[in-house]
Amino acid sequence: MVKKGYEEDFSRRVFKQLQGFEGYGFPESHAASFALLVYISSWLKYYYPDVFCAALLNSQPMGFYQPAQIVRDARDHQVKVLPVDVNHSFWDNTLEKIEDKYFAVRLGFRQVKGLREEDMLLLINNRLLIFNHVDQLREAGVPEAALEKLTDADAFRSLGADRRQALWEVAALGDRPIALFGGQQSESVKEVQVQLPLMTEGEHVVQDYSATGLSLKNHPVALVREKLDLLRTTQIGKLKQMKDGDPVKVAGLITVRQRPGTAKGVLFMTLEDETGAGNIVVWEKLFDQYRKEIIQSRLFMVEGKLQIEGEVIHVVAKRCFNLNSLLRGLTVANEDNLPLLTLARADETTAPPTDSREVFHKGRNFR
């Protein structure tokens, strides 16, 4: 500034003002940018919840909410969500025209854990019309490992096969020669049809969460609601019908734990059941007392007092409980490790069993 003719005293005063501005200039510009983003996002979510849902899912991993919560919110706002399917899905989540107010959101292959985009592009590019049998995907060059991931995600429904039947057929592919030049396979090498036992709804829901992190079939908490009723819990969606100060007991999957540095040790949690999401406040002293339950729980129950301020509802915790054991009942009750797809052929067995308590998200932690 001095070289350009400004007096040194004036230049130093201007420089000090600039130094002072840096303390709030960035937060101010950040707040303005964030406000614009929130405004646009809110407009999209209100008028185009179908587009908003698909866009958020295609942008994962990001933000505060997981795919299960994004899908849940879209369905609560009249958006139909369709499952991953080998005949209808693309890599990204897409929109399908239906006779309804909004487009349907078709879940994409990106939602299936462990799938590679290049394998799915191979499937899509060879899907000239529709696939009618698992064999056709193999002939298209889709690796067996990818086919197994698709069976885990129950993506063969349009072929008339649920995940158990599809897994049986995929496992049988290793014994079948690939048909050359599009020719038909010899009937002598086709797998003998076997009547497989049906999976329970609980098994399907657990496997959905294991494969995709969400389920369109049912909410896991709904499947243990009868046991939660015996514990005299209140559905989260019914809290708004109660009064400020009422004693209450609620249970749900933990979706978020947040302990801001400015909150003096207070923990904020979000629980989700089949009726909605609820906010839980855990004071610092109580957090220290129930740290193990809070950190290790998937299915969490809290007993406390209802706090209602306008439309904002919290449950201020007094006691906390780990109810992970109830999730065990979603799968076969009399098997130690609760395998989900216990298919066994004469010469082999399936992959190691999955514990139903471990497939549900642990909840995201924020500060």
Side-chain angles (χ1 to χ4, degrees):
M1 290 179 71
V2 171
K3 286 181 180 179
K4 292 188 176 183
Y6 294 97
E7 294 182 2
E8 182 175 339
D9 180 61
F10 172 77
S11 300
R12 291 189 180 280
R13 283 188 283 117
V14 170
F15 184 74
K16 286 182 179 179
Q17 288 179 337
L18 292 175
Q19 278 186 311
F21 178 74
E22 73 172 353
Y24 66 89
F26 173 77
E28 187 178 65
S29 61
H30 180 273
S33 300
F34 190 76
L36 179 60
L37 177 62
V38 170
Y39 177 85
I40 295 171
S41 299
S42 299
W43 187 89
L44 281 171
K45 186 178 186 301
Y46 183 83
Y47 289 104
Y48 300 97
D50 46 355
V51 179
F52 187 74
C53 173
L56 282 185
L57 291 174
N58 289 336
S59 299
Q60 294 292 313
M62 61 164 284
F64 205 75
Y65 299 105
Q66 302 189 53
Q69 285 81 58
I70 295 171
V71 167
R72 165 66 180 277
D73 183 77
R75 297 174 82 183
D76 287 345
H77 289 84
Q78 305 175 48
V79 177
K80 186 174 184 179
V81 182
L82 303 172
V84 178
D85 192 280
V86 293
N87 277 317
H88 303 292
S89 293
F90 292 84
W91 177 250
D92 282 333
N93 299 273
T94 55
L95 300 176
E96 293 184 11
K97 182 68 175 178
I98 59 173
E99 295 298 323
D100 209 337
K101 183 178 181 180
Y102 303 113
F103 283 80
V105 175
R106 170 70 69 176
L107 296 181
F109 294 123
R110 64 159 54 242
Q111 298 302 135
V112 181
K113 298 173 184 176
L115 278 182
R116 299 193 311 165
E117 184 173 3
E118 52 265 40
D119 291 338
M120 292 303 95
L121 291 179
L122 188 63
L123 180 156
I124 294 165
N125 292 334
N126 284 278
R127 191 172 60 196
L128 301 178
L129 292 173
I130 61 171
F131 294 115
N132 295 305
H133 197 276
V134 175
D135 285 359
Q136 296 172 316
L137 283 86
R138 185 199 186 202
E139 292 168 6
V142 181
E144 186 173 340
L147 294 178
E148 290 177 356
K149 296 293 184 184
L150 290 169
T151 63
D152 289 341
D154 205 11
F156 289 91
R157 289 284 179 169
S158 63
L159 277 65
D162 71 358
R163 55 169 41 102
R164 179 163 282 179
Q165 182 65 42
L167 181 60
W168 181 273
E169 295 181 10
V170 168
L173 289 178
D175 297 335
R176 304 180 192 174
I178 299 177
L180 299 178
F181 311 113
Q184 296 296 317
Q185 293 183 11
S186 168
E187 291 295 324
S188 63
V189 298
K190 284 190 177 292
E191 186 78 9
V192 176
Q193 292 297 312
V194 177
Q195 186 65 38
L196 298 171
L198 296 176
M199 293 176 65
T200 66
E201 185 180 28
E203 288 177 313
H204 274 299
V205 169
V206 169
Q207 189 65 16
D208 284 344
Y209 269 83
S210 178
T212 65
L214 60 94
S215 179
L216 302 178
K217 297 179 179 70
N218 205 340
H219 195 282
V221 177
L223 299 176
V224 297
R225 177 53 61 188
E226 185 176 347
K227 295 179 179 178
L228 293 177
D229 286 343
L230 294 176
L231 296 172
R232 297 185 178 181
T233 63
T234 299
Q235 292 180 336
I236 292 174
K238 294 182 178 179
L239 293 180
K240 57 187 175 183
Q241 301 172 12
M242 301 175 67
K243 301 188 301 295
D244 181 46
D246 281 351
V248 69
K249 194 186 296 182
V250 295
L253 296 180
I254 297 176
T255 60
V256 173
R257 301 179 190 85
Q258 189 174 22
R259 203 179 189 197
T262 56
K264 298 181 180 179
V266 178
L267 173 73
F268 301 97
M269 302 176 67
T270 302
L271 297 187
E272 178 190 86
D273 69 7
E274 73 275 27
T275 66
N279 301 313
I280 311 298
V281 177
V282 181
W283 300 117
E284 182 179 18
K285 184 176 180 180
L286 200 72
F287 174 77
D288 294 336
Q289 180 180 351
Y290 290 103
R291 177 186 294 269
K292 184 177 179 180
E293 288 82 358
I294 291 169
I295 293 175
Q296 296 183 358
S297 294
R298 305 291 196 277
L299 181 60
F300 185 72
M301 184 174 76
V302 59
E303 182 179 335
K305 185 175 71 172
L306 198 62
Q307 186 179 84
I308 302 177
E309 296 180 8
E311 296 184 2
V312 179
I313 301 176
H314 292 87
V315 175
V316 180
K318 291 185 177 178
R319 299 174 68 194
C320 303
F321 305 87
N322 182 339
L323 297 186
N324 287 352
S325 59
L326 294 188
L327 298 177
R328 192 179 180 93
L330 296 182
T331 51
V332 182
N334 60 357
E335 296 189 24
D336 291 338
N337 291 315
L338 306 174
L340 299 177
L341 299 178
T342 53
L343 298 178
R345 302 178 67 208
D347 57 345
E348 64 182 356
T349 58
T350 55
T354 302
D355 189 328
S356 62
R357 294 167 297 180
E358 298 303 315
V359 303
F360 299 109
H361 45 74
K362 300 178 181 179
R364 286 182 172 175
N365 299 314
F366 294 90
R367 288 192 174 274

